[in-house]
Amino acid sequence: MKEYIELQTQFCSKIDIKKICTFDYETIIEGTFPIYHKSPRFIFVKEGKGSIVVDMVPYELKAGVLLSVLPWKCTQITDVKEPLSFEIVKYNYDVVADTLKSSSSIRDNLSVLKKLEETPYAFPQGDMEKEVEYLFLRIREEVGIESVMDFRERKSYEEMNVIMQISSLIIAFCRAIDSRKEASCKKVEACDNRILILRYIYMHLSEKMTLEKISKQFYLSRSSIRMYIYEKTGLTFHELVNEMRIMKTLNYLLYTDLTLEDMAPILGYVDAAHISKVFSYRMENKITNYRKTYQKVLNIMNIEERKLAYQLVEYISRNFQEEIQASFVADRFGISIEDMNRHLMIQVETNFYDFLNRLRINKACELMLCSDMPITDIAIEVGYSTVKTFRRNFIELRHVLPNQFRMVQAELVN
């Protein structure tokens, strides 16, 4: 009988799906099977010795180690020399990340979020370790202990306080990484990067996700990607994409007032009807009934600002092949160029011109791979007025000349 990699639930709590954070203990006395985590968590090792593999990279486990596991990362404890005791904080990444992005120091907060992608492993020592212990204690005191149903009476401002504690934990984790003097892991020599496919899909859900696109990204055939996904999850490619989109949809239903029309382009759906159809099939419940049952559980997001950011991204994405300028787009939405760039940094983590060039170069790559159009015609087609500007931006983003890119990709296909 085929054994698939377990897909963990997306919710922080098995009891209350509205919770944005939970605290718990866990003890491991032997190795575990691989698991894909839908909900992110911090794992603080209190006792024991062993090894864990995160996306094919091994790490040592011992007292004081702090792990950060992001959505759709795959983990497996491969060795337990001494029984391992953990403190675990699960949290809603989208809510925490959106709060960080919306704060005043956007540049620093974005770099913090990107650092979480670099490594899941930190080993805080001295005052840093004490700070981590303190933050875990504060979170436990606020939310209780999930496994023993130690649920505390809800305090005023609980959600905001928890988000602040998790944000502080993220900063402590990043500082521990920066201060690390020794390499904390040893790379697998023959790393099977297919395990990164699920994380890649999750990070690009707002785009049109196809097997062909993933094939070019990982240099694998579409059939091999399709087979790998099914072998590991028991889901077809389209079922997996819909599963991930449903996760995101639930978050938006719980934590925002966005309409289905607003959500569709953000989450990669065709339209509002497409969301309703996929949701009803997967959840066996109408989306209107679900929202009516749970309603919005937090008021921590500025909904109007979020809508404006989505509208900006959608407008630029639809019109990047035209001669659009930053001043024109800003005037169209009645804001300054600085405010427009701030909204774009929150939503796509880049400013107007970088986002515009990224869209154009991505489209150019698609045309070079799928057509015989001359480079000059492609440059004009994607919105550049001169080939010189096109080449300069192409080299900046792809690190090769357009014609070299076309040649290399053609060789890979053949």
Side-chain angles (χ1 to χ4, degrees):
M1 182 176 178
K2 175 65 180 174
E3 292 187 358
Y4 301 113
I5 294 181
E6 181 182 347
L7 301 181
Q8 191 188 56
T9 176
Q10 74 182 85
F11 299 113
C12 302
S13 171
K14 296 180 180 179
I15 299 168
D16 183 359
I17 68 170
K18 301 187 297 297
K19 275 186 171 291
I20 61 172
C21 174
T22 58
F23 176 95
D24 216 336
Y25 296 107
E26 186 173 357
T27 299
I28 301 292
I29 60 175
E30 59 184 11
T32 64
F33 292 106
I35 181 172
Y36 275 111
H37 299 272
K38 293 184 185 179
S39 64
R41 73 272 325 279
F42 280 103
I43 302 172
F44 190 36
V45 183
K46 301 299 290 183
E47 294 179 342
K49 292 182 180 180
S51 301
I52 188 171
V53 172
V54 183
D55 283 351
M56 297 299 293
V57 181
Y59 299 90
E60 178 188 8
L61 294 178
K62 58 183 179 181
V65 164
L66 180 62
L67 296 171
S68 168
V69 181
L70 295 177
W72 293 96
K73 291 281 189 180
C74 183
T75 68
Q76 179 182 13
I77 294 178
T78 55
D79 181 36
V80 179
K81 294 184 176 67
E82 297 176 9
L84 292 158
S85 296
F86 305 135
E87 290 183 350
I88 302 175
V89 169
K90 300 179 186 176
Y91 65 97
N92 186 306
Y93 180 81
D94 289 335
V95 172
V96 174
D98 284 335
T99 304
L100 279 171
K101 290 177 182 178
S102 301
S103 66
S104 56
S105 183
I106 292 174
R107 185 182 300 275
D108 287 343
N109 290 332
L110 290 176
S111 66
V112 163
L113 293 174
K114 287 180 179 178
K115 193 174 286 293
L116 290 181
E117 295 283 350
E118 294 175 4
T119 176
Y121 187 101
F123 187 49
Q125 300 179 59
D127 291 341
M128 287 186 181
E129 183 179 9
K130 292 179 182 178
E131 181 180 0
V132 170
E133 290 176 341
Y134 172 75
L135 290 169
F136 269 77
L137 175 62
R138 288 291 306 276
I139 293 171
R140 187 189 72 187
E141 290 175 342
E142 192 74 33
V143 302
I145 305 171
E146 175 89 357
S147 60
V148 297
M149 299 185 71
D150 173 27
F151 299 121
R152 313 295 168 85
E153 182 179 348
R154 187 188 180 281
K155 306 172 186 176
S156 56
Y157 313 109
E158 177 181 307
E159 289 86 5
M160 186 57 69
N161 186 36
V162 166
I163 290 170
M164 291 173 64
Q165 301 301 333
I166 296 172
S167 300
S168 297
L169 194 53
I170 290 173
I171 292 169
F173 178 82
C174 293
R175 285 176 172 170
I177 294 173
D178 291 340
S179 65
R180 187 176 57 200
K181 295 180 180 180
E182 298 179 357
S184 57
C185 69
K186 184 171 64 176
K187 295 283 185 179
V188 177
E189 292 183 2
C191 181
D192 181 359
N193 72 339
R194 291 182 302 172
I195 204 162
L196 303 177
I197 289 174
L198 273 65
R199 177 70 180 165
Y200 175 82
I201 296 173
Y202 179 78
M203 296 296 290
H204 296 81
L205 280 180
S206 62
E207 306 170 13
K208 183 179 180 181
M209 190 53 58
T210 64
L211 282 168
E212 183 177 7
K213 182 172 186 176
I214 302 171
S215 174
K216 293 172 182 175
Q217 182 71 28
F218 287 88
Y219 303 106
L220 295 167
S221 69
R222 286 176 288 183
S223 60
S224 63
I225 293 170
R226 188 188 297 112
M227 186 180 300
Y228 176 80
I229 290 173
Y230 185 76
E231 286 178 348
K232 295 302 181 184
T233 67
L235 302 173
T236 66
F237 168 71
H238 292 293
E239 286 172 342
L240 176 65
V241 172
N242 285 336
E243 181 76 12
M244 292 182 176
R245 284 189 173 138
I246 285 296
M247 288 173 54
K248 292 271 190 179
T249 302
L250 292 175
N251 277 339
Y252 281 100
L253 291 172
L254 288 172
Y255 301 113
T256 79
D257 284 331
L258 294 175
T259 65
L260 298 187
E261 288 78 10
D262 293 327
M263 294 181 200
I266 301 166
L267 299 174
Y269 292 104
V270 176
D271 50 29
H274 186 202
I275 297 180
S276 297
K277 181 179 179 181
V278 173
F279 189 93
S280 297
Y281 177 78
R282 171 63 178 80
M283 302 299 292
E284 298 181 357
N285 189 7
K286 290 184 178 180
I287 200 166
T288 50
N289 292 341
Y290 185 92
R291 180 165 244 177
K292 188 182 298 183
T293 300
Y294 294 105
Q295 290 296 321
K296 183 170 61 111
V297 297
L298 295 178
N299 284 312
I300 63 170
M301 295 182 185
N302 186 324
I303 300 302
E304 292 306 315
E305 284 207 356
R306 291 290 300 277
K307 284 185 177 180
L308 178 56
Y310 298 142
Q311 290 166 357
L312 278 167
V313 171
E314 182 179 11
Y315 179 81
I316 298 169
S317 298
R318 290 179 182 272
N319 295 277
F320 70 87
Q321 291 172 265
E322 307 297 328
E323 292 185 14
I324 57 174
Q325 300 291 329
S327 56
F328 170 80
V329 177
D331 290 344
R332 180 183 178 86
F333 286 88
I335 57 178
S336 68
I337 293 177
E338 290 75 14
D339 280 342
M340 178 179 67
N341 282 331
R342 181 172 62 84
H343 287 301
L344 290 174
M345 287 292 289
I346 291 172
Q347 189 59 31
V348 294
E349 302 185 4
T350 190
N351 61 29
F352 172 81
Y353 283 110
D354 288 342
F355 182 49
L356 181 65
N357 283 320
R358 189 171 76 192
L359 291 171
R360 287 175 171 174
I361 296 303
N362 286 345
K363 181 63 177 180
C365 290
E366 179 183 329
L367 291 174
M368 279 189 280
L369 294 173
C370 303
S371 75
D372 295 325
M373 289 177 63
I375 299 296
T376 301
D377 292 348
I378 289 176
I380 295 171
E381 175 71 17
V382 299
Y384 289 104
S385 56
T386 68
V387 177
K388 182 179 180 180
T389 303
F390 168 63
R391 285 176 176 160
R392 184 177 67 246
N393 284 289
F394 196 96
I395 291 171
E396 183 176 337
L397 289 173
R398 291 291 184 269
H399 309 294
V400 294
L401 286 167
N403 59 335
Q404 293 174 329
F405 173 85
R406 176 177 257 173
M407 288 169 49
V408 170
Q409 293 298 321
E411 290 175 359
L412 289 172
V413 171
N414 295 329

